[in-house]
Amino acid sequence: MMQISAEEIARTLPISECIDVIEAAMKAVSAGSTLQPLRSIMPVGDGNAMGIMPGAMGEPPVHGMKLISLYPDNPKRGLSSHQGVMMIFDTDNGTPIACLDASELTALRTAAASAAATRALARPDSRALAILGAGEQADHHLPAQLSVRDFSEVRVWTRTHANASKFVDRHSGLAADIAAYQTAREAVAGADVVVTVTASPDPILEGAWLEAGQHINLVGASVASAREIDDAGVASGRFFADTRSGAEVQAGEYLGALKSGAIREAHLLGEIGEVYAGTLPGRISADDITIYKSLGTAAQDLAAGYEVWRRLTA
Ligand code: NDP
């Protein structure tokens, strides 16, 4: 069995090349050809948790499980907030084929998934990108988003302004016009695509700030008790999720808006894989606000992990 490090993952599967892998996986999810039991999240004290995510793909022939510790304060210790391993097995003979670093794999596949959603839902003429949050996910989302639209301007906001400035310094080579903003509202005004990648439990994005034609990727909240956009924001857009089954129990934004009566169940139009397959309309008009709710799925980990292993063993 192969042991695959974070560095090997990053070197072997660049984000821009992971986007098609994830799009294909999400089509398979929506076509019903994968197995994805609902993930379990087990609290382990002090606000930390352990996530257990099993799954199986039909094509490629791989199944497996991600075991991941979620430690939100880890960045203060210089560690990723996601620590863990992804075990993948050959479905033809049941043997384990690789154990991959789950921190890098998670960041890679999540950013690739958002980029695929932007590619499908954002206006083709999108030029300004706003990123709310400046941690590990933001670091991966920036190059991923840049690879699917011709952005000429990048704005970043995070709770701690000094971290937004550090983000700008880290990525100044990727975009000519990249700037740190003092408020989320200013960063979002006039942006064509907005990405939320914070660990905030409460909304950092308000519906009142949204403008016609924007596309929003909601990525940071992955449990029912957390949300990054308010009810008005959820209600304002054509709303898609990575999986319907996950969104119905773990998407805090959708569940909160349902509970308050701001939306009804039908507001969740369907899964992003249906949009990729052409069976569900995505953006209908240039003025639509479109929203992609990302919770993350085992199929994304399996597909990206398998592709890394396949390239390394080819
Ligand atoms: P990091 O710890 O590297 O970065 C966290 C970011 O969130 C920082 O910008 C931080 O701001 C901000 N933040 C933290 N707490 C708050 C708060 N209370 N209010 C406002 N902002 C806050 O985490 P990652 O980048 O790795 O992950 C970001 C989020 O994405 C996490 O919640 C994670 O669980 C989620 N995630 C979702 C996935 C999916 O598939 N949808 C997959 C992987 C992660 P500051 O500048 O102050 O540090």
Side-chain angles (χ1 to χ4, degrees):
M1 185 185 59
M2 206 172 203
Q3 193 86 20
I4 306 177
S5 69
E7 293 70 26
E8 281 171 310
I9 294 170
R11 198 172 55 237
T12 308
L13 185 56
I15 285 183
S16 59
E17 294 173 26
C18 189
I19 297 168
D20 286 345
V21 174
I22 297 299
E23 185 176 301
M26 297 317 292
K27 270 194 213 168
V29 167
S30 295
S33 60
T34 66
L35 275 179
Q36 303 201 82
L38 190 62
R39 69 185 169 197
S40 323
I41 298 181
M42 174 178 78
V44 292
D46 297 333
N48 302 315
M50 171 97 197
I52 302 155
M53 295 173 71
M57 309 284 292
E59 184 51 47
V62 60
H63 64 271
M65 186 177 296
K66 183 163 82 174
L67 298 169
I68 194 149
S69 293
L70 309 168
Y71 276 59
D73 286 337
N74 257 4
K76 290 180 194 153
R77 304 186 237 183
L79 294 171
S80 167
S81 55
H82 291 62
Q83 299 285 331
V85 291
M86 174 81 200
M87 291 290 309
I88 60 172
F89 294 72
D90 180 339
T91 302
D92 289 335
N93 59 21
T95 54
I97 52 178
C99 176
L100 299 100
D101 178 277
S103 177
E104 179 63 26
L105 188 70
T106 302
L108 169 71
R109 61 73 151 156
T110 308
S114 301
T118 293
R119 186 165 68 180
L121 295 174
R123 292 189 342 269
D125 61 352
S126 295
R127 292 289 174 269
L129 168 67
I131 301 183
L132 308 183
E136 186 176 11
Q137 281 296 334
D139 283 337
H140 284 73
H141 273 71
L142 176 58
Q145 295 289 318
L146 290 175
S147 69
V148 294
R149 283 291 181 274
D150 193 10
F151 291 112
S152 54
E153 186 190 350
V154 177
R155 301 111 171 259
V156 62
W157 167 86
T158 184
R159 176 182 60 175
T160 309
H161 187 66
N163 291 337
S165 302
K166 286 184 199 156
F167 182 92
V168 169
D169 292 343
R170 280 200 298 282
H171 297 294
S172 57
L174 284 185
D177 185 357
I178 175 167
Y181 278 64
Q182 290 285 352
T183 67
R185 183 175 194 157
E186 288 169 300
V188 167
D192 301 300
V193 173
V194 180
V195 174
T196 65
V197 274
T198 73
S200 177
D202 304 310
I204 42 99
L205 179 58
E206 294 184 19
W209 308 343
L210 299 184
E211 297 166 12
Q214 287 179 324
H215 170 66
I216 322 291
N217 293 304
L218 300 174
V219 181
S222 35
V223 288
S225 56
R227 54 186 309 181
E228 295 187 288
I229 194 169
D230 63 7
D231 290 347
V234 174
S236 70
R238 288 179 59 74
F239 196 90
F240 306 90
D242 45 16
T243 66
R244 183 180 280 280
S245 57
E248 284 172 348
V249 288
Q250 291 178 335
E253 291 92 350
Y254 170 68
L255 295 171
L258 262 186
K259 194 172 172 199
S260 73
I263 59 165
R264 293 173 185 269
E265 276 91 351
H267 190 72
L268 172 55
L269 295 172
E271 296 184 345
I272 197 70
E274 299 172 82
V275 177
Y276 300 152
T279 55
L280 174 67
R283 169 174 295 278
I284 293 173
S285 92
D287 281 346
D288 283 338
I289 292 172
T290 51
I291 304 177
Y292 167 61
K293 174 59 199 167
S294 161
L295 283 168
T297 72
Q300 296 168 348
D301 295 307
L302 288 168
Y306 185 86
E307 180 62 13
V308 171
W309 172 82
R310 192 191 65 76
R311 289 181 181 208
L312 285 171
T313 53

